[in-house]
Amino acid sequence: MEMVPDMALGEEDAPITVIEYASFTCPHCATFHETVVPPLKAEYVDTGKVRFIHREVYFDRFGLWAAMIARCEAGPERYFAFADMIYTGQRDWIGDGQPGTVAENLRKLGLASGIGKDQLETCLNDSEMAQAMVANFQAQAEQDGIRATPTLVIDGESYSNMSFEDLK
């Protein structure tokens, strides 16, 4: 979907494509991003062997809010830098799990990442973009049979969460 492009790292013509379906609120996804993505990027993405695509899954509104901020004025480099902040600080920004607390914590992360206050509010209140993101997620998840996160689709074949050793 043009309004919601895939966020990808690596060469478009890399011989292998790895798509990760992940929720910004999923603890297993956070662990995957802390333990698997860095060596995957270093050994395979940065060397031209793999194109890595991160597709958001919205099991809850907090994950959608985080993704809306991640995509706010973001190309892939800024998106992935913000995604790292989201995953590594997941427990902190989710806090007590109350919508007001989560929204405020996500705003703080957005500002810390360099997004201006007015732009941040514009992105968070863009209902057309939110609807497009949800529609895009639903279509892609349906197409690839996504039921849990993280799920990896490697050259068209689905795999559940795995360690870097298993992924290699």
Side-chain angles (χ1 to χ4, degrees):
M1 196 176 260
E2 208 172 293
M3 192 171 176
V4 188
D6 273 336
M7 289 297 172
L9 294 173
E11 303 297 323
E12 266 188 66
D13 61 351
I16 297 170
T17 298
V18 175
I19 301 170
E20 179 202 14
Y21 283 89
S23 169
F24 283 128
T25 59
C26 161
H28 298 293
C29 299
T31 299
F32 184 85
H33 274 263
E34 290 170 22
T35 62
V36 178
V37 171
L40 172 67
K41 186 177 178 310
E43 289 184 39
Y44 293 94
V45 175
D46 293 346
T47 59
K49 297 173 187 162
V50 167
R51 180 167 178 80
F52 177 76
I53 298 171
H54 182 267
R55 288 188 179 160
E56 301 117 5
V57 173
Y58 313 122
F59 290 139
D60 53 54
R61 59 185 165 177
F62 302 154
L64 176 62
W65 295 349
M68 290 176 76
I69 296 172
R71 289 178 172 275
C72 191
E73 295 186 330
E77 282 190 30
R78 189 170 183 159
Y79 173 88
F80 281 99
F82 188 75
D84 286 345
M85 290 174 66
I86 288 290
Y87 285 123
T88 57
Q90 188 182 74
R91 282 192 187 112
D92 295 329
W93 66 264
I94 291 175
D96 62 11
Q98 296 302 309
T101 304
V102 172
E104 190 53 38
N105 288 340
L106 285 171
R107 282 183 174 90
K108 287 176 187 171
L109 282 176
L111 293 170
S113 76
I115 301 170
K117 187 176 184 183
D118 292 342
Q119 185 60 38
L120 183 62
E121 291 307 315
T122 298
C123 290
L124 277 172
N125 292 303
D126 188 344
S127 61
E128 184 180 348
M129 178 59 134
Q131 289 171 355
M133 289 168 67
V134 170
N136 190 54
F137 147 66
Q138 289 171 333
Q140 290 174 329
E142 177 76 22
Q143 172 190 315
D144 288 334
I146 304 305
R147 304 275 176 264
T149 57
T151 296
L152 302 176
V153 178
I154 303 170
D155 282 343
E157 193 168 331
S158 290
Y159 299 87
S160 58
N161 191 13
M162 64 178 82
S163 69
F164 181 64
E165 288 307 311
D166 291 339
L167 182 59
K168 282 171 57 166

